Amino acid sequence: IIEQLSARHETPWIIGISGIPGIGKTSLALKAAHHHRSEESFDAIIWVIAETRSWIPISEDRQKATSFNDLYDEIAEVLKIDSIIRLESITEKRKQVREALKGSRCLLVIDGVEGLGGWDIFNDLKDFVQPTKIIATSNIHADQVDHHYLLEGMDREAALELMRAECKAK
């Protein structure tokens, strides 16, 4: 995932991470985002948690967002483009956010896309990519992304070996 996000070419990159709840999808996305933050690979990293029928942007005030309009506002806020937030038309807001993203290399992480209807949200967001990259996590298998990773559990022996190694290290 880190290598794919580092690619500078213009290939669309929507990376899906799926698996059962608690398997580490969010942790993996967070590790990739932190890696790229420390490498300064992106102009901005926008992290959004999707919950049932709502967007919850991760920001200091943890303001709850409930629509694509609010998602576009969060992107504009992170990019510090207040004029987009003041727009009334969702169509114009989407157009301006898309243009802003084309001029910035951003990483947009959407954690839990099934909360907003699943992977179909990318029908509306796919043209945002280039040079922006998207990581999305879900409990549901991804089929509308450029690259997909299915996280599966470890077998018993591998899990015990990992726990022994972690205990020894600590």
Side-chain angles (χ1 to χ4, degrees):
I1 291 171
I2 289 170
E3 288 175 17
Q4 290 174 339
L5 292 173
S6 297
R8 293 275 180 189
H9 51 79
E10 294 300 314
T11 302
W13 291 105
I14 299 175
I15 298 170
I17 304 170
S18 65
I20 62 171
I23 195 125
K25 302 175 297 289
T26 299
S27 295
L28 183 58
L30 188 60
K31 183 174 177 79
H34 277 292
H35 172 83
H36 285 285
R37 181 181 305 255
S38 67
E39 295 289 318
E40 297 182 4
S41 306
F42 293 94
D43 300 326
I45 297 176
I46 305 158
W47 186 287
V48 178
I49 298 172
E51 288 189 346
T52 306
R53 296 297 197 202
S54 65
W55 292 98
I56 302 175
I58 293 186
S59 61
E60 288 182 13
D61 61 1
R62 307 258 322 162
Q63 179 180 343
K64 189 171 185 175
T66 58
S67 66
F68 275 102
N69 185 60
D70 292 337
L71 173 64
Y72 300 150
D73 284 350
E74 179 65 13
I75 293 169
E77 185 176 322
V78 171
L79 296 178
K80 297 179 178 18
I81 308 173
D82 293 336
S83 60
I84 293 174
I85 296 169
R86 291 189 295 269
L87 292 171
E88 295 292 324
S89 163
I90 186 71
T91 304
E92 185 60 28
K93 192 174 282 197
R94 181 188 191 289
K95 179 181 171 190
Q96 297 240 354
V97 165
R98 185 177 178 277
E99 288 302 311
L101 288 175
K102 283 173 77 174
S104 301
R105 185 167 162 77
C106 296
L107 175 59
L108 174 60
V109 181
I110 303 172
D111 190 19
V113 296
E114 67 277 1
L116 286 169
W119 298 100
D120 289 339
I121 68 169
F122 291 105
N123 296 333
D124 206 38
L125 298 177
K126 194 157 185 123
D127 65 337
F128 279 19
V129 182
Q130 297 183 4
T132 292
K133 310 290 184 193
I134 298 173
I135 297 176
T137 70
S138 178
N139 297 334
I140 303 166
H141 180 73
D143 56 0
Q144 292 161 318
V145 296
D146 298 308
H147 296 279
H148 176 253
Y149 296 92
L150 174 63
L151 301 186
E152 298 179 292
M154 302 171 92
D155 64 40
R156 185 178 196 283
E157 195 53 45
L160 289 172
E161 184 179 328
L162 176 63
M163 286 187 275
R164 284 186 198 107
E166 286 294 312
C167 289
K168 186 176 181 178
K170 293 186 190 270

